[in-house]
């Protein structure tokens, strides 16, 4: 029989979409107040994989991945998503989001993203928040699943996530 216990800590990442880079310093400050120091910031990637957000946020969106120094209990993912939803509302203008925050958890085996959108492959966590295994790590790379969004299948995202995985691996070694 298995035994209950604490989950091993995981690396909090926040892939963010934004319409105006001038708001990023204030956003970073808000994120650090809630989740601790940022230890990774990717370069900006033009978000050209979908026009889904254009009507609300405008065209020409940028994507940046952030990683956080403080490892988190994966059981807190739903709380983290609720907090990022609050931040999205804080930065909204006339009910339109200007940022989209998709918090996720990275461990050595997978990337899980939090969402409010129901789908058959998503697991309910709490208070309308779901978790989705977006990528599975195997054979030295993150492999997509049938529902993985096109941007998360890209070589650019793969490189970033492998860098974040290396940082996390170093953090785990330090913990031991």
């Amino acid at each position: 029989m298995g035994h209950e216990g604490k989950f091993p800590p995981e690396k909090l990442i926040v892939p963010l979409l934004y319409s105006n880079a001038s708001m990023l310093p204030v956003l970073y400050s808000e994120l650090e107040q809630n989740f601790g120091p940022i230890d990774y910031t990717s370069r900006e990637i033009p978000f050209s994989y979908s026009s889904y957000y254009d009507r609300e946020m405008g065209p020409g969106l940028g994507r940046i991945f952030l990683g956080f120094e403080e490892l988190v209990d994966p059981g807190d993912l739903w709380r983290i998503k609720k907090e990022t939803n609050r931040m999205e509302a804080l930065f909204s203008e006339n009910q339109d989001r200007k940022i989209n925050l998709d918090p996720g958890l990275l461990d050595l085996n997978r990337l899980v993203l939090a969402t409010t959108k129901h789908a058959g492959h998503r697991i309910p966590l709490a208070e309308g928040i779901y978790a989705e295994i977006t990528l599975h790590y195997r054979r030295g790379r993150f492999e997509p699943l049938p529902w993985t969004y096109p941007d998360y299948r890209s070589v650019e995202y793969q490189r970033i996530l492998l860098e974040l995985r290396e940082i996390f691996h170093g953090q785990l070694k330090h913990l031991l």
Side-chain angles (χ1 to χ4, degrees), residues 141-152:
R141 65 181 300 262
F142 283 99
E143 295 184 353
L145 298 161
W147 51 81
T148 301
Y149 291 118
D151 49 338
Y152 282 89

Side-chain angles (χ1 to χ4, degrees), residues 16-20 52-62 96-101:
L16 63 102
L17 283 176
Y18 57 93
S19 59
N20 182 348
Y52 178 83
Y53 298 98
D54 287 1
R55 198 167 86 186
E56 180 181 18
M57 298 176 69
L61 299 177
D96 287 336
R97 290 181 299 172
K98 297 300 170 192
I99 59 167
N100 177 37
L101 304 171

